[in-house]
Amino acid sequence: MTKSDRTMTQKMGIWIDRREAILVSLQDAKTSIERIESNAESHFRPSGGWKASGTSVAQSISKEKTADERRKQQFHKFYQEVIEKTDKSDNIYIFGPGEAKLELVKEIEKIKDRHERIAAVETCDSLTENQIVAQVKSFFSSL
């Protein structure tokens, strides 16, 4: 790492839901955008109803638990991939609808000294990519 790399601060805004994360990096006058898909499965729904083809309720519940565990692992992998992208960020602004932003914060808090970089966590609706960039720029310009 050169001396100039250490003096430049990188700020990152992360809009996240369970389908994807949009990362907006700000460094000096440069803005870069990266999109990460979660690739997590949707909720388990047995086809044909709960009594289809003689499937017992116990088997259906077991399959649902297995699918839930698999989905938890997929979300964990997704959050870790997002966290890796924050390595060079000094300030992180996390926002989005739903629970994904809070789950991401919990994963970040498990990493020593990383949680101190979180500037704010806010709830917001779904936004276009341009709105996300504008919100990140607005947030960091007000600090």
Side-chain angles (χ1 to χ4, degrees):
M1 184 187 293
T2 67
K3 185 178 179 183
S4 63
D5 288 338
R6 283 180 286 199
T7 58
M8 288 191 247
T9 60
Q10 182 176 342
K11 298 170 181 126
M12 180 176 284
I14 302 171
W15 181 93
I16 188 167
D17 68 9
R18 288 193 161 173
R19 288 187 325 268
E20 67 179 343
I22 299 174
L23 288 66
V24 179
S25 298
L26 306 174
Q27 188 165 357
D28 298 325
K30 185 181 173 202
T31 302
S32 60
I33 302 166
E34 185 172 355
R35 194 177 286 260
I36 300 173
E37 301 286 326
S38 74
N39 298 319
E41 299 171 10
S42 60
H43 288 286
F44 176 78
R45 289 188 189 95
S47 59
W50 67 278
K51 282 287 191 180
S53 67
T55 303
S56 72
V57 174
Q59 285 176 323
S60 180
I61 291 171
S62 175
K63 286 180 184 177
E64 187 172 343
K65 285 182 181 180
T66 302
D68 282 345
E69 275 304 309
R70 190 169 48 246
R71 227 178 0 267
K72 280 182 190 176
Q73 291 301 318
Q74 290 167 340
F75 286 130
H76 176 75
K77 183 179 176 191
F78 169 54
Y79 298 141
Q80 293 304 314
E81 190 174 344
V82 171
I83 290 169
E84 281 179 29
K85 301 293 183 178
T86 67
D87 278 350
K88 296 176 183 165
S89 299
D90 301 308
N91 291 304
I92 304 168
Y93 168 48
I94 301 170
F95 60 111
E99 298 295 313
K101 64 186 171 298
L102 302 176
E103 293 167 359
L104 176 62
V105 168
K106 284 181 185 175
E107 291 295 323
I108 291 172
E109 287 174 344
K110 293 176 185 177
I111 303 168
K112 185 179 180 194
D113 298 330
R114 185 71 61 94
H115 70 279
E116 296 166 359
R117 299 180 191 178
I118 299 173
V121 179
E122 295 179 350
T123 300
C124 78
D125 293 327
S126 294
L127 302 171
T128 66
E129 192 171 280
N130 288 338
Q131 290 171 322
I132 291 168
V133 171
Q135 182 153 338
V136 170
K137 287 181 176 180
S138 172
F139 174 81
F140 284 114
S141 70
S142 67
L143 289 183

